[in-house]
Each structure stands twice: as structure tokens, then as C-alpha cells.
């Protein structure tokens, strides 16, 4: 196989078979685990970051929102960039960006600099998973695809377990800066392994990048969400809304749009996308609230608040492993509908118990039920969306669902921070403010049942 740098130079062929798959998977899992670990650890630090920079929640939440918006920006660019420079080079670039962004975030001197460096992190982190998946699937071949997907699921299972615990321990023992400083050494190891192990390849340019659509979508979403969180000046919201509408018009008329919204004309795809957006907005948006409740209202340390999240993360990760198998044998409508119903019930049971003295195990039981519902919803919904389109449209469908997921997570985080801030000004008791905000998230999650009812509930003949 030839190198992408000098196409006429012959190199040794990449490692093949089980050994090659294990080596490639090692590199990819290391990079993906680092990204997932960082994302979940940062949520634990929101209260500390707000105090350190003297920033309100509606401002400091941009540490999370900026990251997820960067993910949404870079995802559609990834497939184009793989064709232009090759998967290995792009994966190395992603690791460098993530490591550099992490180091700079640890050195941040104010909220604005931290958000900017988190965006840089997100540009790298957003490429790690899709490019890593491409590398592993190429190394596995069709006969080992199932094994490869199981390996790729490890960071999703372990990251949410380890992230809050590690983040909390670093906050209590050192400072918030070490949540970011632990990433560069891991990134450096991953870069060395990737440079040595991953196979070289010849770039194969594919479809053109819709640069104009990209310039409309990312700034438009940023201004729209900024307007949502800082509602005193409607100019940002109006300008952002106009840019997003312009992007939608282009996506419906352009030959090769950044995001193929014409897929929404298919009822199963539209139903899956609708369920995913509402569910993700409610669930991932509410993740910013739990550490604030445990640390601010219940007086728990950052480390202990991370430990309290283990039952939910474990329930989600384990259920995801089973859900991936269920979707092959049962119609997606039944699985997703069950998942949303279980998650909403668990979320409601948690919300009504949010006080300043409820036993923690009561909350953990309800959150574990929520975790089971999340595990039954997330992957089956994506599978339902991609199954509803022709084989040649699967990459477009996957990209569309992933972007919509990240946009929903960004919007949900901003929305929940605004709702909590407003509730804290008007609620008679701090616990009432959290319960009121969680109530909105439960209602939003319950709305995901409506599009889920439109998903196929019978296996195709």
C-alpha cells in the first residue's frame, strides 16, 4: 500500500488479521476513551469553574456547549477530510488538536479563553470517533465486524463510569486544571502508537464539501444559542435564526448539502430523528444539573458526586450492549418506544424526589431506571434511522443523525442552564428550582414518545 504523502513510494502492507485488528483497536480505543472521559469529567467541574471565574451558569455552560457545537461542526467535514488526506493522517491531526486544546484549556485565564480552547478540543474530539471507527472497520473486514463494534463500544461503557470519579478526585485533590492536564500525555502516547501502528493509505477524494452550508450552520447555531442564554439582546437570536433558516433552504436545494435534510421526507427516518432530538435535548441537557444539585444543594464533594453517578452510567452502558443485539431481532419501534417510556418513568421518579434531604439511594434507583431507558433508546434510534434509507444513503443518514444529536445536546445544555437560573431567582427553596427545571426536561423527554409511535413496530417481510 502506498503512502498518502508520496503515492509512488511502496511501503510494507498494514498488519492483517486478528493481530492487526487488535493493534488498530488499541489505538482507537485509547483516543476515544480519552475523549469520552474528558467530556464526562468536565460536567463534574461546572460549579467549580463558575466559582473560579466568577461566571453565572448561563455563561459557564458554554464550556460544554462550545465543545458540543464544535463536534457538530467537524462531523460533516470528517468524511470529506478522510478522502482528502487519509484516515491515518486525519486521526493523528485529531489527536494533536485534542491534546493541544486540553493543554491550553488547563492554562485558561478566563471564561472566554476556556471556551475557545474547549472549541479546539471539540474539533479534535469530534473526529476521533468517526475516523477511529473507519480505521477499525477497515482492519476488521466483514467477517469480524461484530467483534470490532463491541470493542468500539468500550469507551462508551467505561468513560461515563470513570470520568465523573476521576474528575471529582482531581477537583478535590488538586484543581480543575488537572482535568485537562491529564489529556496531553495520553494524547502523546496515542500519537506515537498511531504513527507506528496505523496503516498508510492513498487519499481518495470524494464528494465536495459544502463550505457555504458549513459557514451558515455553525455560526448560526452559536448565535442562536447565545441569544437563548443572553436574551437581553435579540439581535443574536434573530441573526442566528436567519442563518439557520438559510442553511435549511440550501440543504433542501443544494446537490451535495452538508446535511441532507431531504431524508426527513422518509417517515421512519423523520420519526427516528425526531425521537433522538427530543430525547437527547432532555437527557444530555439535564446532565449539567446533577453535579450542581449534589455539590451545591446537598453539600457533597466533587469526588462523591461522581461516585453517586455510577449506577446510572453502569445501567446505561450494560443496557447498550444488549440493545445492540435486540435491534437485529426486533423491530426498532418496539425497542425505542420501550426505551423512551422506561427512561421518562425513571426520570419522573427521580424528579419528584429532588429535595434537600432525600436518601441518595432513592435517587440512584430512579436514575438507574433512567439509565436503562437511555441504553434502550440511543443506539436503536440511530439504527432505526439508518435502516430506513438505501445502502448508498447510509453515510448521509448517519452524519445527519449525529449532527442533529450534537445540536440537540448543545441546545439542551443551554436551555437547562437558563431554566435553572430563572427558577433559582423565583423559587421559594433551592430544591424547588432544581425540581422545576428537571420537570421541563421530563416533559421534553416524554414528547419523544410521539415520534417514536411512528417507528415501524413490525419486522420487514
Amino acid at each position: 500500500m502506498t503512502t498518502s504523502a508520496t503515492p509512488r513510494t511502496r511501503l510494507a502492507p498494514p498488519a492483517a488479521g486478528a493481530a492487526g485488528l487488535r493493534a488498530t483497536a488499541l489505538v482507537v480505543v485509547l483516543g476515544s476513551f480519552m475523549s469520552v472521559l474528558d467530556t464526562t469529567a468536565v460536567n463534574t467541574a461546572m460549579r467549580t469553574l463558575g466559582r473560579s471565574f466568577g461566571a453565572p451558569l448561563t455563561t459557564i455552560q458554554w464550556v460544554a456547549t462550545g465543545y458540543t457545537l464544535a463536534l457538530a461542526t467537524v462531523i460533516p467535514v470528517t468524511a470529506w477530510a478522510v478522502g482528502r488526506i487519509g484516515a491515518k493522517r486525519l486521526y493523528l491531526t485529531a489527536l494533536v488538536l485534542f491534546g493541544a486544546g486540553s493543554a491550553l484549556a488547563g492554562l485558561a485565564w478566563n471564561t472566554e479563553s476556556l471556551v475557545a480552547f474547549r472549541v479546539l478540543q471539540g474539533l479534535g474530539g469530534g473526529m476521533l470517533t468517526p475516523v477511529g471507527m473507519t480505521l477499525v472497520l477497515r482492519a476488521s473486514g466483514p467477517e469480524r465486524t461484530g467483534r470490532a463494534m463491541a470493542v468500539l463500544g468500550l469507551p462508551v461503557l467505561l468513560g461515563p463510569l470513570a470520568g465523573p470519579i476521576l474528575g471529582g478526585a482531581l477537583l478535590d485533590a488538586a484543581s480543575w486544571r488537572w482535568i485537562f492536564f491529564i489529556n496531553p500525555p495520553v494524547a502523546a502516547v496515542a500519537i506515537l502508537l498511531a504513527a507506528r501502528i496505523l496503516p498508510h493509505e492513498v487519499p481518495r477524494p470524494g464528494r465536495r464539501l459544502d463550505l457555504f452550508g458549513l459557514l451558515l450552520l455553525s455560526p448560526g447555531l452559536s448565535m442562536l444559542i447565545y441569544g437563548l442564554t443572553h436574551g437581553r439582546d435579540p439581535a443574536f437570536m434573530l441573526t442566528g435564526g436567519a442563518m439557520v433558516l438559510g442553511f435549511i433552504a440550501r440543504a433542501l436545494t443544494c446537490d451535495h448539502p452538508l446535511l441532507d435534510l431531504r431524508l426527513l421526507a422518509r417517515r421512519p427516518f423523520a420519526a427516528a430523528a425526531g425521537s433522538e432530538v427530543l430525547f437527547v435535548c432532555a437527557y444530555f441537557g439535564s446532565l449539567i444539573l446533577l453535579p450542581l444539585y449534589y455539590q451545591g444543594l446537598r453539600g457533597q464533594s466533587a469526588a462523591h458526586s461522581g461516585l453517586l453517578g455510577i449506577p446510572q452510567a453502569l445501567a446505561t452502558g450494560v443496557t447498550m450492549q444488549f440493545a445492540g443485539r435486540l435491534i437485529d431481532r426486533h423491530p426498532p419501534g418496539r425497542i425505542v418506544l420501550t426505551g423512551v417510556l422506561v427512561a421518562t418513568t425513571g426520570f419522573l421518579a427521580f424528579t419528584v424526589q429532588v429535595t434537600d434531604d432525600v436518601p441518595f439511594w432513592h435517587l440512584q434507583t430512579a436514575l438507574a431506571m433512567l439509565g436503562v431507558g437511555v441504553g434502550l433508546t440511543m443506539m436503536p434510534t440511530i439504527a432505526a434511522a439508518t435502516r430506513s434509507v438505501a445502502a448508498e444513503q447510509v453515510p448521509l443518514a448517519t452524519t445527519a443523525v449525529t449532527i442533529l444529536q450534537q445540536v440537540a445536546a448543545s441546545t439542551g445544555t443551554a436551555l437547562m442552564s437558563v431554566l435553572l437560573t430563572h427558577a433559582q431567582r423565583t423559587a421559594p427553596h433551592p430544591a424547588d428550582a432544581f425540581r422545576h427545571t428537571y420537570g421541563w426536561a421530563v416533559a421534553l423527554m416524554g414528547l419523544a414518545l410521539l415520534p417514536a409511535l411512528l417507528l415501524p413496530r413490525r419486522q420487514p417481510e
Side-chain angles (χ1 to χ4, degrees), residues 356-405:
D356 55 4
D357 59 358
V358 63
F360 287 124
W361 72 268
H362 286 194
L363 299 176
Q364 288 177 299
T365 301
L367 289 175
M369 185 177 181
L370 168 63
V372 171
V374 172
L376 286 172
T377 302
M378 298 297 294
M379 292 306 293
T381 306
I382 296 174
T386 55
R387 277 185 186 178
S388 66
V389 301
E392 64 273 11
Q393 291 181 307
V394 168
L396 297 175
T398 303
T399 299
V401 171
T402 307
I403 293 174
L404 290 172
Q405 186 182 84

Side-chain angles (χ1 to χ4, degrees), residues 15 65 76 121 144 170 222 232 277 362 364 415 423 428:
T65 300
Q121 257 193 306
R144 290 189 294 269
L170 289 171
S222 298
R232 296 177 183 175
V277 165
H362 286 194
Q364 288 177 299
L415 179 62

